Amino acid sequence: MVNIEGQAIEEQADGAPTERAPRDAGFWKRALALLIDACVVGTVVSVLFLLLALAVPDVGKMITLNTPFGIGTVEKVIEDKSTATPAGDGATLTTTDKTIEKTVLGRWVYRYRIEGSGRETEGAYYTTKFRTYTRQQLDPVTGEEIETADVDAIAFVVLMLYWILADAGLHQGSLGKRLLGLKVADAKGQRLTLAAAAGRNLLKILSAVPALLGFMMAGWTKRKQALHDKITGSYVIVAR
């Protein structure tokens, strides 16, 4: 038998192992646990800020509100000056210049200007697209450029803090992991220190760049570790 680091475990006199080696959690279970956490935290934060904005109207002006899963949110284009120009060789040059308006639950209105450019090339069997955009928030009354906090950004910060506290907590994992019978452990199978949990979760940002490659490593590494697991010497295992 082996322990969580893959080292041999001493046997008892009758030949029975003193403990079983933990099973590593698979990629898809880990991904589902992450999705559950994101949905739960995102929903809770969105609802709390919507309730707060009902009680304190100025909150809806300082923070861009969202509803869970976009329910009751309507977006419409109120101005579109976009153009498309042939560039030869089957290519088309496009410029995007439009203003959109987002209404949340028929009460809170937000306006944005989207500008950008791109090139689209049509081949015999495929179409390639390259586009860049900028998105600037506008005051819905004056049309002047403004900046507000976004509930989604706040929810991301809350999610990171929750993951850190949950990994270092008694249950060694977040709600999503607990529902799927998983937990986070160090090389000895023990719960992470607060510092190790903070490092592990902050490094998820590194795992997400580029194209979530660091997260995908959990699908092929020997101990099913993502990049942030390997760097911090942590593991996601099946709880006994």
Side-chain angles (χ1 to χ4, degrees), residues 2 65 69 116 119 122 231:
V2 295
L65 303 172
F69 310 106
R119 180 184 179 90
E122 294 188 8
I231 294 175

Side-chain angles (χ1 to χ4, degrees), residues 1-3 9-10 16-22 240:
M1 297 294 289
V2 295
N3 65 10
I9 294 177
E10 294 182 359
T18 56
E19 61 176 291
R20 292 183 302 165
R240 295 178 181 176

Side-chain angles (χ1 to χ4, degrees), residues 22-95:
R23 289 191 295 124
D24 300 310
F27 172 82
W28 291 111
K29 270 195 172 183
R30 293 182 55 160
L32 181 56
L34 187 151
L35 180 61
I36 291 172
D37 292 337
C39 289
V40 171
V41 172
T43 298
V44 170
V45 171
S46 293
V47 171
L48 286 177
F49 273 94
L50 286 170
L51 294 175
L52 182 60
L54 286 173
V56 185
D58 283 346
V59 170
K61 299 177 182 178
M62 297 182 294
I63 298 174
T64 301
L65 303 172
N66 290 310
T67 58
F69 310 106
I71 297 172
T73 298
V74 178
E75 280 195 8
K76 64 179 181 180
V77 177
I78 59 176
E79 186 177 19
D80 191 348
K81 299 178 182 178
S82 303
T83 61
T85 306
D89 299 328
T92 301
L93 298 179
T94 61
T95 60

Side-chain angles (χ1 to χ4, degrees), residues 3-201:
N3 65 10
I4 198 168
E5 295 179 296
Q7 299 171 339
I9 294 177
E10 294 182 359
E11 295 185 347
Q12 298 176 352
D14 60 359
T18 56
E19 61 176 291
R20 292 183 302 165
R23 289 191 295 124
D24 300 310
F27 172 82
W28 291 111
K29 270 195 172 183
R30 293 182 55 160
L32 181 56
L34 187 151
L35 180 61
I36 291 172
D37 292 337
C39 289
V40 171
V41 172
T43 298
V44 170
V45 171
S46 293
V47 171
L48 286 177
F49 273 94
L50 286 170
L51 294 175
L52 182 60
L54 286 173
V56 185
D58 283 346
V59 170
K61 299 177 182 178
M62 297 182 294
I63 298 174
T64 301
L65 303 172
N66 290 310
T67 58
F69 310 106
I71 297 172
T73 298
V74 178
E75 280 195 8
K76 64 179 181 180
V77 177
I78 59 176
E79 186 177 19
D80 191 348
K81 299 178 182 178
S82 303
T83 61
T85 306
D89 299 328
T92 301
L93 298 179
T94 61
T95 60
T96 301
D97 183 3
K98 62 176 64 176
T99 303
I100 65 172
E101 190 172 82
K102 180 177 79 170
T103 304
V104 179
L105 297 178
R107 184 183 183 96
W108 296 281
V109 179
Y110 305 97
R111 188 169 291 185
Y112 302 89
R113 176 184 293 123
I114 301 175
E115 297 179 309
S117 61
R119 180 184 179 90
E120 182 175 315
T121 305
E122 294 188 8
Y125 305 102
Y126 60 89
T127 299
T128 59
K129 297 180 180 181
F130 177 76
R131 297 176 181 174
T132 58
Y133 296 102
T134 59
R135 182 183 177 101
Q136 175 62 54
Q137 188 172 1
L138 305 175
D139 186 295
V141 177
T142 66
E144 296 179 354
E145 295 183 357
I146 59 172
E147 295 286 347
T148 65
D150 193 290
V151 162
D152 287 343
I154 296 173
F156 175 75
V157 173
V158 173
L159 180 60
M160 292 295 288
L161 291 174
Y162 170 63
W163 274 335
I164 292 170
L165 295 175
D167 283 358
L170 181 63
H171 297 288
Q172 296 180 238
S174 61
L175 175 64
K177 288 186 176 66
R178 290 170 60 189
L179 289 175
L180 296 175
L182 310 178
K183 66 180 182 179
V184 181
D186 63 14
K188 295 181 180 179
Q190 304 301 312
R191 67 181 179 181
L192 304 183
T193 64
L194 188 61
R200 177 181 185 272
N201 286 286

